[in-house]
Amino acid sequence: MIYLDNQATTQCDPRVLEAMLPWFGVEYGNPHSAEHAMGQTAADAIEHARGQLAELLHADPRELVFTSGATESNNLAIKGAARHARRTGDPRRRIVTLVTEHPCVLGPVRDLAEEGFEPVMLPVGPDGRLDPQRLRDALAVPTLLVSVMAVNNETGVIQDLAALAPIVRAGGAMLHSDLAQAVGKLPLDMRALDLDLASISGHKFYGPKGIGALFVRRRPRVRLVPLLSGGGQERGLRSGTLPTPLVVGLGEAAQLAALELTKEAARIRALRDRVLARLQALIPGMMVNGSLEQRIPGNLNLRLPNRDALAVMAMAPGVCLSTGSACSAAEIQPSHVLSAMGLEPDQVARSLRLGIGRFTSADELDRAADMLASAHDGVAVPA
């Protein structure tokens, strides 16, 4: 099998797995049992991992709250900020986001409408990017929170957070970003981006599934109402026993990303350009959806000229890719992202997502391009 779905998930790096293994069976103490040595050893490992992630993000370790992943982080950020504002008498009820956000951002924003908040979904252009003037116009009404993902999970298109943040500040709102597709792929600095809240997912950058984090700014302090009640772990923001092996894995993945990001991005970008050129030669008329220039190195969202994407994928089962968000896989439906970018339903149906990662080789990409071209021509390619 040739795996080209690295926006859905990445292989856990063997070095990450090696770092995690002792914490499953040898060092199995509860990190919240500080009264004895094994508990303290686990707690120290948790804090070491927190420091590793903080270094990658250029954040204070005290600003990182461990969660189960980006879905929980996004819910905690959006619902937590809104409910705290209401609890403290803040009259603002507007929450602004993009129509192309991941469902785990759109869902919480829509849920809050039932609690008296006003969801505002801003459109994007054909390139998948937000026009800053649309954000200025939206902020003419007092706004509590703006949520803009750094990198779209389907198209790989990068939003210009550095340009959008001053607009949000001028409007007096808080700024949250879903960084799930950006961490480990782009240099990130929480101070330079001027973020109040940011969501991270470990399995998107070669860490384990089931672990993530939420950046919560300390100065000026951002306050949230927690989603979970319980033992008050993670400074009361996220109760529950932390999974030491997964946290250690997240920290190791962050350290590897900090060391290898620049070199890895250049290699993956070269692979992407190589396979794009090969596919365009083999399938004349194939198009790239969204901005190619403002895109993470490993993503291609491609529009086939003549064939339905699902049909092509079925003809080439040895290539693992997708038509869009993995979270929508159980319910096949047109991509809301591509539709929002102005594509017609038939164009959306002809689009597929190709994700290149750390463990993708040039030979695999060459073979995948040949297989997809054959499938596009109606020739089945055995797995």
Side-chain angles (χ1 to χ4, degrees):
M1 304 295 286
I2 300 173
Y3 184 77
L4 296 178
D5 201 17
N6 282 281
Q7 269 74 70
T9 195
T10 57
Q11 176 187 338
C12 190
D13 192 295
R15 295 168 290 181
V16 171
L17 180 59
E18 183 179 3
M20 292 167 60
L21 284 175
W23 302 95
F24 283 108
V26 179
E27 298 289 355
Y28 55 85
N30 186 323
H32 311 297
S33 297
E35 299 87 353
H36 55 71
M38 288 185 68
Q40 189 58 56
T41 298
D44 291 344
I46 295 284
E47 294 313 311
H48 179 68
R50 201 187 307 272
Q52 290 173 309
L53 183 58
E55 184 174 350
L56 176 65
L57 300 175
H58 294 87
D60 185 326
R62 294 170 293 179
E63 294 175 311
L64 297 175
V65 176
F66 290 120
T67 68
S68 63
T71 293
E72 183 184 344
S73 293
N74 286 334
N75 274 267
L76 175 56
I78 295 166
K79 293 179 179 177
R83 290 167 181 169
H84 184 270
R86 182 181 58 197
R87 178 180 291 182
T88 56
D90 191 320
R92 294 173 297 173
R93 291 293 181 268
R94 175 170 278 208
I95 300 176
V96 173
T97 190
L98 306 187
V99 70
T100 51
E101 291 290 313
H102 192 279
C104 68
V105 166
L106 296 175
V109 172
R110 288 172 177 145
D111 288 347
L112 286 169
E114 299 178 4
E115 300 180 28
F117 291 89
E118 179 194 2
V120 176
M121 316 293 185
L122 298 182
V124 297
D127 62 354
R129 305 187 90 204
L130 172 65
D131 180 348
Q133 187 57 48
R134 287 192 178 275
L135 181 59
R136 289 190 189 92
D137 293 344
L139 292 173
V141 176
T143 300
L144 175 65
L145 178 70
V146 174
S147 182
V148 177
M149 69 195 315
V151 174
N152 187 270
N153 56 296
E154 293 191 30
T155 64
V157 168
I158 303 167
Q159 297 293 341
D160 191 354
L161 290 178
L164 299 176
I167 299 172
V168 176
R169 288 284 166 255
M174 290 185 290
L175 179 59
H176 164 256
S177 184
D178 179 350
L179 300 181
Q181 297 290 343
V183 176
K185 303 177 182 74
L186 300 173
L188 296 170
D189 186 321
M190 299 300 98
R191 297 288 170 266
L193 292 173
D194 201 15
L195 295 173
D196 295 298
L197 296 156
S199 304
I200 296 107
S201 177
H203 75 103
K204 302 296 188 181
F205 65 107
Y206 312 100
K209 297 174 179 65
I211 189 68
L214 178 65
F215 166 81
V216 184
R217 188 172 186 158
R218 291 187 76 242
R219 295 180 181 173
R221 184 177 291 276
V222 174
R223 297 191 180 277
L224 307 172
V225 172
L227 298 178
L228 304 175
S229 300
Q233 291 90 344
E234 293 298 274
R235 300 186 302 283
L237 289 176
R238 204 278 187 175
S239 291
T241 301
L242 288 174
T244 308
L246 302 185
V247 173
V248 168
L250 178 63
E252 185 69 14
Q255 180 170 298
L256 292 172
L259 293 172
E260 300 175 2
L261 188 152
T262 302
K263 183 178 179 181
E264 183 169 277
R267 185 188 77 86
I268 290 175
R269 183 178 292 106
L271 288 176
R272 182 195 69 189
D273 293 346
R274 173 187 176 126
V275 74
L276 177 60
R278 191 178 186 97
L279 282 167
Q280 287 176 325
L282 292 169
I283 309 176
M286 190 193 69
M287 306 289 289
V288 177
N289 294 322
S291 170
L292 184 59
E293 294 75 25
Q294 299 299 325
R295 178 185 300 252
I296 56 170
N299 175 281
L300 284 172
N301 196 295
L302 304 172
R303 187 164 76 246
L304 303 171
N306 303 313
R307 296 291 300 278
D308 181 274
L310 287 174
V312 170
M313 291 164 59
M315 296 280 277
V319 184
C320 298
L321 32 72
S322 70
T323 57
S325 171
C327 297
S328 300
E331 183 181 348
I332 301 299
Q333 56 187 356
S335 163
H336 74 284
V337 173
L338 298 183
S339 297
M341 290 164 55
L343 273 67
E344 296 297 328
D346 73 298
Q347 295 176 313
V348 174
R350 290 187 275 112
S351 297
L352 52 81
R353 179 181 67 179
L354 187 154
I356 303 165
R358 179 176 293 171
F359 302 107
T360 309
S361 70
D363 177 67
E364 285 179 315
L365 286 172
D366 289 347
R367 288 190 289 121
D370 293 345
M371 293 164 74
L372 291 173
S374 294
H376 185 266
D377 291 339
V379 179
V381 183

